[in-house]
Amino acid sequence: EIVLTQSPATLSLSPGERATLSCRASQSVSNFLAWYQQKPGQAPRLLIYDASNRATGIPARFSGSGSATEFTLTISSLEPEDVAVYFCQQRSNWAGLTFGGGTKVEIK
Amino acid sequence: QVQLQESGPGLVKPSETLSLTCTVACDSIGSCYWSWIRQPAGKGLEWIGRISSTGISNYNPSLKSRVTMSVDTSKNQFSLNLSSVTAADTAVYYCARRGASNYFDSWGQGTLVTVSS
């Protein structure tokens, strides 16, 4: 099983600040990694796919980068509506999809 | 965005079988895949497995011995059966569709299933 480790567990920033979230894979997943945003009481929403492609309707302040085992989700200027938990997910092995444990983003 | 809707009992007794159904749509037979994903309260996401519109399935190895999925395209539904449940299976269960991106671009609202006597 490919284990995805996200850090930090919680990120507390002021509006307008840059948020950098990390996802590390236990083995290479090439670029087969996605990021999801989950707000309280809601289902996850796809933000980024294949490491760096924004999904339909996702604001340009969200960007993804990385490959192999190291990935980053960046929110260039944090908005109050970005408060959520963010999960990474790999599809390198469709017989064993896995998600990271999540990073909670809070507003100071 | 494609609409998905989960349905099924909200309470299941220990050792019994959890059964859920998701109403879906597939506009191109042979190219649709749907998954079940669950989330215990306050915790992360766990992929349970997936099935295609033609019945091809893959299951999470950690749950494989207890999981069965099926699809009924005539009813636009796919189903999850999870046998021998325990309290550890208490979670919100989501159905989700694999989109053109090959990731989950459409999700149901989720349904809470509690395992308790």
Side-chain angles (χ1 to χ4, degrees):
Chain A
E1 173 183 294
I2 297 175
V3 177
L4 299 178
T5 302
Q6 292 188 240
S7 62
T10 303
L11 195 54
S12 186
L13 297 168
S14 299
E17 287 194 298
R18 185 183 193 89
T20 303
L21 288 68
S22 173
C23 178
R24 177 172 294 178
S26 59
Q27 63 189 77
S28 176
V29 299
S30 185
N31 69 327
F32 299 135
L33 188 111
W35 292 93
Y36 297 84
Q37 176 193 65
Q38 186 179 34
K39 296 183 179 180
Q42 296 184 16
R45 176 175 72 146
L46 179 65
L47 295 177
I48 301 288
Y49 66 93
D50 286 344
S52 61
N53 298 292
R54 268 191 303 276
T56 302
I58 301 304
R61 65 180 181 275
F62 291 93
S63 64
S65 64
S67 65
T69 61
E70 300 282 345
F71 300 88
T72 300
L73 173 70
T74 301
I75 309 173
S76 61
S77 179
L78 197 65
E79 301 278 348
E81 62 263 32
D82 300 334
V83 169
V85 179
Y86 294 82
F87 295 97
C88 56
Q89 176 239 319
Q90 62 82 19
R91 69 168 184 92
S92 174
N93 176 8
W94 265 104
L97 297 184
T98 52
F99 291 87
T103 290
K104 184 177 183 180
V105 173
E106 299 176 336
I107 293 285
K108 276 184 183 176
Chain B
Q1 204 176 34
V2 174
Q3 298 296 317
L4 296 90
Q5 180 68 56
E6 305 91 349
S7 60
L11 181 64
V12 181
K13 290 182 168 56
S15 80
E16 294 190 346
T17 296
L18 178 159
S19 296
L20 296 173
T21 298
C22 182
T23 301
V24 297
C26 179
D27 56 6
S28 179
I29 293 295
S31 67
C32 293
Y33 276 88
W34 303 284
S35 285
W36 287 100
I37 296 161
R38 69 181 183 180
Q39 185 174 35
K43 297 190 177 180
L45 300 161
E46 180 180 34
W47 178 73
I48 300 170
R50 70 167 186 168
I51 191 165
S52 74
S53 51
T54 57
I56 299 169
S57 59
N58 300 96
Y59 302 141
N60 186 324
S62 69
L63 297 169
K64 190 174 183 177
S65 63
R66 299 195 290 133
V67 172
T68 304
M69 294 184 185
S70 60
V71 62
D72 186 339
T73 52
S74 67
K75 295 182 178 179
N76 290 331
Q77 291 179 341
F78 80 108
S79 300
L80 167 69
N81 281 341
L82 180 66
S83 64
S84 305
V85 297
T86 69
D89 295 309
T90 294
V92 173
Y93 285 74
Y94 294 100
C95 57
R97 187 193 76 153
R98 185 195 75 172
S101 65
N102 287 312
Y103 296 88
F104 304 118
D105 67 350
S106 295
W107 296 66
Q109 64 185 20
T111 187
L112 174 62
V113 179
T114 302
V115 178
S116 175
S117 56

